Amino acid sequence: MPTYEEADAAPVFGRGVRQTVLAMGVCSVVIGVATVIWPDKSLSTVGNLFMFSLLCSAVTLAAVAFGSRLGRFPRALLLLAALVSLLTAALCFRAGDWTLLLAMWLGLAWSVRGIAHAVAGVWDDDEVTGSGKQEVFGLLTLTAGLVIAIAPFDDIETLALVAGCCITLFGVLEIWTAVRSPAAVRGAGVALTPDEHLTTVIASAGGSGGRTRD
């Protein structure tokens, strides 16, 4: 999700969206690590972990779609990606004993999210400084999705290891995105430094003073 602005520009994230992205990023890291280190992995256990990961992804995408000041088209794409994540989360929960089927649903969700993320970064390139980093994030997600969906995973251990590492990486990038997104001082039009913003994100339950697109 592109969130990089010049110091005198209004934040792309609206009120409360940073906190949502940060919280879901932390959850993704926890789920990713659990997927990697879980003992005696079974298809049912890994499927449930994938489901929770995709639910976190859906919450993040929906929050940005409804609470950002991106254009209508990228917001619509992000909302579509959120719906796909919800659908594939349900399918992961009911994947049964098919490792390849589980991998296919996860790969599909990541591919759609990656496309939406990359397009959102390109679409608002003129007003979002540093969106190139977010385009790379989107392309990385798309690549991971294609690899997971196409690679012939013969056992659940290998799938869990690869997918868990990817989930952890995505969570770290979401945390970084939320922390690095500048916040405007309420009523003053002055941008906070990244360190000051981190304190604001963690301490403020009311969100930061971002503007919404007219």
Side-chain angles (χ1 to χ4, degrees), residues 15-111:
R15 186 185 300 270
V17 178
R18 289 182 183 83
Q19 286 81 357
T20 301
V21 174
L22 179 64
M24 292 302 101
V26 172
C27 290
S28 293
V29 170
V30 172
I31 294 170
V33 172
T35 303
V36 172
I37 67 174
W38 197 281
D40 301 324
K41 298 179 182 66
S42 66
L43 276 168
S44 176
T45 300
V46 175
N48 288 337
L49 290 171
F50 286 177
M51 177 191 68
F52 289 126
S53 171
L54 291 173
L55 289 176
C56 290
S57 177
V59 171
T60 299
L61 292 166
V64 175
F66 287 110
S68 71
R69 48 190 302 277
L70 299 172
R72 291 182 179 179
F73 181 69
R75 290 170 66 182
L77 281 180
L78 292 171
L79 181 58
L80 174 63
L83 294 175
V84 171
S85 292
L86 281 176
L87 175 61
T88 51
L91 293 172
C92 283
F93 181 70
R94 302 177 61 86
D97 296 327
W98 290 50
T99 302
L100 292 178
L101 186 61
L102 189 62
M104 184 181 71
W105 295 137
L106 184 65
L108 174 62
W110 286 357
S111 297

Side-chain angles (χ1 to χ4, degrees), residues 122-133:
V122 174
W123 192 270
D124 285 292
D125 185 66
D126 291 338
E127 67 177 67
V128 181
T129 303
S131 60
K133 296 183 180 65

Side-chain angles (χ1 to χ4, degrees), residues 109-207:
W110 286 357
S111 297
V112 174
R113 174 177 177 169
I115 293 172
H117 195 151
V119 170
V122 174
W123 192 270
D124 285 292
D125 185 66
D126 291 338
E127 67 177 67
V128 181
T129 303
S131 60
K133 296 183 180 65
Q134 295 299 305
E135 293 160 20
V136 172
F137 187 179
L139 293 176
L140 179 64
T141 306
L142 171 60
T143 302
L146 293 175
V147 170
I148 291 292
I150 297 174
F153 291 102
D154 295 327
D155 61 273
I156 192 62
E157 292 282 346
T158 304
L159 174 60
L161 176 62
V162 175
C165 290
C166 291
I167 293 170
T168 304
L169 174 61
F170 296 158
V172 170
L173 291 174
E174 287 175 355
I175 294 171
W176 180 80
T177 296
V179 170
R180 295 295 297 177
S181 176
V185 175
R186 189 183 305 276
V190 178
L192 298 179
T193 65
D195 290 339
E196 292 171 335
H197 174 61
L198 174 59
T199 303
T200 302
V201 169
I202 297 175
S204 173

